[in-house]
Amino acid sequence: MFDDEKIEAGIRLLLEGMGEDVNREGLRETPERIARMYHEIYGGLEMTPEEILSKTFTAANNEMVLEKDITFYSTCEHHLLPFYGKAHVAYIPNGKVVGISKLARTVEVYARRPQIQEQLTAQIADAIMEYLKPQGVMVMIEAEHMCMTMRGVRKPGSQTVTMVTRGAFAENRELQDTFLRLAK
Ligand code: ZN
């Protein structure tokens, strides 16, 4: 899916647009390096949550499962600058669970794309709802946006917090409070 030649040409053009000499030593291999890097940092574009969440196990009980402090790195699609932080993902099983590492991998699938934080939060929750069919899902993301700290309003350390509830979590204040208390 990635067209490396196009990416490299684009980076060259970008540098030229800034008046840079794309043939100077430091920049000569930059387009190629960036194309290679994009396979990694935008690798989520080539992955689906299905391959991660389709393998499930029968659950003995249906108590809340919470994976907290999942570190992630993503890229803001408005500025192509990083935003990064922690995701907390919980669900209440409906007879089925997935391996714990699969929640972190689901975060990766959506983080490694041009993104906005609100959408990232919702996509994680919706993928778990779709493939695991749990009673409910809650996802909270706390992130620092480089487009807020190295440009624009320049507020280093400020955190953007987004939250999404689905199913049982959407209707139940007590469940939300439990999630928030555990995620702290
Ligand atoms: Zn931005």
Side-chain angles (χ1 to χ4, degrees), residues 72-76 81-87 117 120 141-151 154-162:
F72 75 90
Y73 297 88
S74 190
T75 310
C76 139
L81 285 174
F83 69 95
Y84 53 92
K86 291 190 186 317
Q117 187 178 332
L120 172 62
I141 293 181
E142 306 168 90
E144 181 167 339
H145 290 247
M146 293 303 284
C147 60
M148 295 264 292
T149 55
M150 71 182 281
R151 61 161 288 285
R154 289 204 179 87
K155 289 274 175 275
S158 73
Q159 299 270 313
T160 304
V161 181
T162 47

Side-chain angles (χ1 to χ4, degrees), residues 49-57 96 98 102 131-132:
E50 192 178 1
E51 54 198 90
I52 291 160
L53 293 173
S54 52
K55 175 112 181 75
T56 59
F57 304 95
K96 285 193 298 184
V98 281
K102 302 298 169 69
Y131 293 104
L132 208 52

Side-chain angles (χ1 to χ4, degrees), residues 5-16:
E5 262 176 52
K6 230 176 197 170
I7 294 170
E8 288 170 33
I11 297 299
R12 241 173 257 121
L13 215 53
L14 187 87
L15 290 165
E16 282 171 7

Side-chain angles (χ1 to χ4, degrees), residues 6-59:
K6 230 176 197 170
I7 294 170
E8 288 170 33
I11 297 299
R12 241 173 257 121
L13 215 53
L14 187 87
L15 290 165
E16 282 171 7
M18 299 188 306
E20 271 287 0
D21 170 13
V22 291
N23 293 315
R24 71 180 171 83
E25 199 189 350
L27 291 178
R28 209 178 302 142
E29 288 170 27
T30 297
E32 202 189 314
R33 215 161 13 228
I34 288 181
R36 230 179 301 128
M37 177 180 74
Y38 275 13
H39 283 262
E40 192 178 340
I41 68 174
Y42 295 126
L45 290 168
E46 296 184 309
M47 296 179 344
T48 65
E50 192 178 1
E51 54 198 90
I52 291 160
L53 293 173
S54 52
K55 175 112 181 75
T56 59
F57 304 95
T58 305

Side-chain angles (χ1 to χ4, degrees), residues 56-62 91-97 132-135:
T56 59
F57 304 95
T58 305
N61 68 54
N62 287 324
Y91 68 98
I92 299 169
N94 194 6
K96 285 193 298 184
V97 292
L132 208 52
K133 304 208 174 357
Q135 297 179 59

